[in-house]
Amino acid sequence: TCDVQGLLLFMGTCIGLFYNCSLNLYYLAIVRYNHTDTYIERKLEPFLHAIPILVALVGSIIPLVKSNFNDDGSGQCITAPIYRPPH
């Protein structure tokens, strides 16, 4: 259904974007600030995993509950107004 497609599309996009940001922050901590692996494992890594997952879950469940995943007329189910072509 459109709800499943919209949920997976939105969640996958959010997780991909935020994990890319997490990877950039990881490299910044390693290269620029010379943090050790133990510091990163204990202090940063929980946030680098939790934030992308939580943002993607919350950001995709809210439109699902509000029934905002609709067909945009091209076959994609995204957060769009309901497509009602003229008759």
Side-chain angles (χ1 to χ4, degrees):
T1 66
C2 212
D3 288 335
V4 174
Q5 181 186 1
L7 178 79
L8 293 176
L9 180 68
F10 196 83
M11 190 181 303
T13 302
C14 285
I15 284 179
L17 290 173
F18 281 102
Y19 261 113
N20 190 14
C21 292
S22 293
L23 189 60
N24 290 331
L25 290 172
Y26 171 77
Y27 286 137
L28 182 70
I30 293 287
V31 174
R32 173 71 173 100
Y33 296 110
N34 296 322
H35 287 299
T36 62
D37 286 338
T38 56
Y39 175 82
I40 291 172
E41 288 174 8
R42 292 184 182 159
K43 301 284 183 175
L44 296 179
E45 195 169 349
F47 295 105
L48 296 179
H49 289 292
I51 290 173
I53 293 170
L54 289 175
V55 168
L57 282 175
V58 171
S60 60
I61 289 176
I62 289 173
L64 180 67
V65 170
K66 291 184 170 186
S67 298
N68 286 342
F69 291 124
N70 300 308
D71 186 11
D72 66 348
S74 68
Q76 291 287 332
C77 295
I78 58 172
T79 54
I82 296 175
Y83 179 68
R84 293 191 179 123
H87 295 288

